[in-house]
Amino acid sequence: MTRRGRFRGRAIDAEVDAFLGVRYAEPPFGPRRFAAPVPVHAEGDCLEFGPIAPQSARLPGAPVWRPGDEDVLSLNVWTPSTSDGPWPVLFYVHGGAYAFGSSAQPDYDGAALARAGLVVVTCNYRLGFEGFGHVPGQPDNRGLLDQRAALRWVRENIAVFGGDPDLITVGGQSAGAGSALFLASWEPVRRVIAHSVPNRFYTPGFARRVAEWIDTTTPESAVTSADALAAAQRTGPLAYDPVLFGPVADGLPALRPDVDALLCHTDVEYLLFSAVGTFRPPGLQEFGRAWGIPDHVVAAYEHFEDARVRLAGDFVFGEPTARLAEAHGVAFLARFTRPPAWHTADVPFSFGNLGGADFLLGGPAGDDERALSRRMLQAWVDFCATGDPGWTGVRHWGEEVEARRAPWRGVDLSAPVNHPVQPVG
């Protein structure tokens, strides 16, 4: 066991201490359901991950949500066990389409990054309808407000754990990357790491229409009815990728000029969703029309064997990430190309957590994978500490591949999604 001020955690090994399940806000249920988070200063034993937010997902190696679990707003800290420091801080937001996932997933274990010289913080936040559904008289984007409350807790308390409150990098992948951009626009962070930035944000009208079909009687009924609504989609873009929740906004915020940015996307993002059977689009042209993609852009993908998968991945993740780097001007951009270069495959490499990630890696890790992981992890550490990950131009993590043409150049992706929602049943 180890102790930092009023918090008691546990030693992972001789180099790293972990403080798990640290509460940063009151349970967001009962009279506080759908309200903004209420900060709390909890202390004492921090030995186990806290309960996760309401969801139906069952992810490998991760806990599941149990109806009745309410104290879901907690965070975790991994810190070097030496007295040196203060250390740069990485505040990392998990992904999951704004509807599932948790900071307890093995991918997000911060021990390897802490050994390399970072204080790593991850957090749970409200998901799905609880976090992003429209409720009259209550704030939208409650999941983002939870993250903001956790980040403020970090600024106020991280010095106790050896972290530097003036040197915080906000990071995330997928929904976590989108979240990181909002946090960087609201809070005085120094740097942002965003992998697979999603083109996912919704108009107030879309959020209101989704809310009409959600049974909000209990958190469990909200999850069940949202799952049923997603399954009922038969036409339009939601028929092929039924993501019902996301930030209610006019678009992703631009990065401030004084914020350093490290951005990355994988080569074939949607290959993962195709492999697990959650992405089943029709013919290429029909798919393009359903998503409102111009015909000349669709035509540029026709020569690819996996055209629909590449088109979807570029539309939702690849091009938004590249455009963000382009707009920022001085951002560092990377592309993960080590097969299978699908969505989320880069996460265990950057965290140094290859053990138990066989599915995401396409098989057991070998010497080449471990060497690549060490390079990617060190780039994160260097960026958090200095703002420079160690390259110029575009960095390829994995195999060098021929640069593909960018069919999206000149196409406006800034409009929020405002698709019709079909009734359930």
Side-chain angles (χ1 to χ4, degrees):
M1 299 295 181
T2 185
R3 185 175 177 85
R4 296 265 184 162
R6 296 176 296 277
F7 301 92
R8 190 167 70 102
R10 55 189 174 93
I12 300 299
D13 53 32
E15 300 177 273
V16 176
D17 297 333
F19 301 80
L20 308 178
V22 183
R23 296 173 59 223
Y24 68 84
E26 297 284 0
F29 299 103
R32 287 184 290 270
R33 191 180 179 204
F34 304 131
V38 178
V40 63
H41 183 77
E43 52 191 50
D45 288 351
C46 308
L47 307 177
E48 303 292 340
F49 289 110
I52 71 173
Q55 60 188 278
S56 59
R58 295 180 177 271
L59 302 174
V64 299
W65 175 63
R66 300 186 303 269
D69 284 347
E70 294 198 344
D71 217 345
V72 301
L73 301 183
S74 66
L75 54 80
N76 318 292
V77 182
W78 290 264
T79 182
S81 58
T82 69
S83 58
D84 298 334
W87 304 96
V89 179
L90 172 61
F91 177 84
Y92 192 87
V93 182
H94 74 78
Y98 300 103
F100 62 88
S102 77
S103 62
Q105 292 170 230
D107 314 26
Y108 307 126
D109 187 291
L113 285 165
R115 292 187 193 97
L118 294 183
V119 172
V120 180
V121 182
T122 62
C123 72
N124 288 345
Y125 56 97
R126 279 174 283 183
L127 302 166
F129 192 85
E130 300 293 326
F132 296 91
H134 177 74
V135 179
Q138 299 290 358
D140 289 329
N141 300 324
R142 294 174 296 276
L144 297 180
L145 298 181
D146 292 345
Q147 298 164 18
R148 191 177 190 181
L151 181 56
R152 288 180 170 178
W153 185 99
V154 169
R155 284 212 318 273
E156 295 169 2
N157 295 280
I158 205 62
V160 174
F161 302 88
D164 185 344
D166 295 320
L167 194 55
I168 297 175
T169 297
V170 173
Q173 183 265 351
S174 194
S179 298
L181 296 182
F182 282 97
L183 292 175
S185 72
W186 293 335
E187 296 293 319
V189 301
R190 291 278 295 275
R191 300 182 178 113
V192 172
I193 294 174
H195 283 218
S196 300
V197 177
N199 183 25
R200 293 290 190 199
F201 37 90
Y202 297 111
T203 65
F206 177 87
R208 285 193 295 269
R209 284 197 297 278
V210 169
E212 292 172 359
W213 297 100
I214 303 299
D215 178 358
T216 63
T217 306
T218 65
E220 187 174 18
S221 67
V223 169
T224 301
S225 57
D227 286 349
L229 179 60
Q233 302 308 301
R234 294 292 180 268
T235 62
L238 294 182
Y240 316 125
D241 186 19
V243 178
L244 296 176
F245 303 106
V248 179
D250 292 332
L252 294 175
L255 289 169
R256 299 195 316 268
D258 62 328
V259 174
D260 299 324
L262 191 163
L263 308 170
C264 181
H265 65 90
T266 69
D267 189 40
V268 196
E269 295 271 3
Y270 260 62
L271 185 61
L272 173 65
F273 308 123
S274 178
V276 300
T278 59
F279 178 63
R280 298 184 297 273
L284 183 63
Q285 297 298 329
E286 182 182 348
F287 172 55
R289 287 192 295 271
W291 277 25
I293 300 172
D295 291 343
H296 74 277
V297 175
V298 174
Y301 284 82
E302 289 177 346
H303 67 284
F304 290 116
E305 182 179 354
D306 51 355
R308 290 169 294 177
V309 170
R310 285 187 178 272
L311 178 60
D314 282 356
F315 174 63
V316 178
F317 298 111
E319 192 64 11
T321 304
R323 285 199 170 194
L324 181 63
E326 206 173 62
H328 195 53
V330 294
F332 297 93
L333 180 62
R335 191 167 153 213
F336 186 81
T337 56
R338 182 266 179 197
W342 57 26
H343 193 65
T344 312
D346 49 336
V347 172
F349 281 89
S350 297
F351 270 87
N353 295 329
L354 299 186
D358 290 5
F359 172 72
L360 286 177
L361 304 182
D367 290 342
D368 289 346
E369 285 76 23
R370 285 187 284 271
L372 176 59
S373 178
R374 287 192 294 270
R375 294 195 298 273
M376 292 179 67
L377 182 149
Q378 191 61 51
W380 271 21
V381 173
D382 292 344
F383 178 78
C384 291
T386 70
D388 185 353
W391 71 79
T392 58
V394 179
R395 180 71 161 89
H396 288 88
W397 291 123
E399 297 182 351
E400 291 291 341
V401 297
E402 182 181 355
R404 292 190 287 119
R405 62 190 297 186
W408 282 112
R409 296 295 182 233
V411 178
D412 182 13
L413 299 182
S414 62
V417 176
N418 195 15
H419 302 304
V421 178
Q422 292 184 199
V424 177

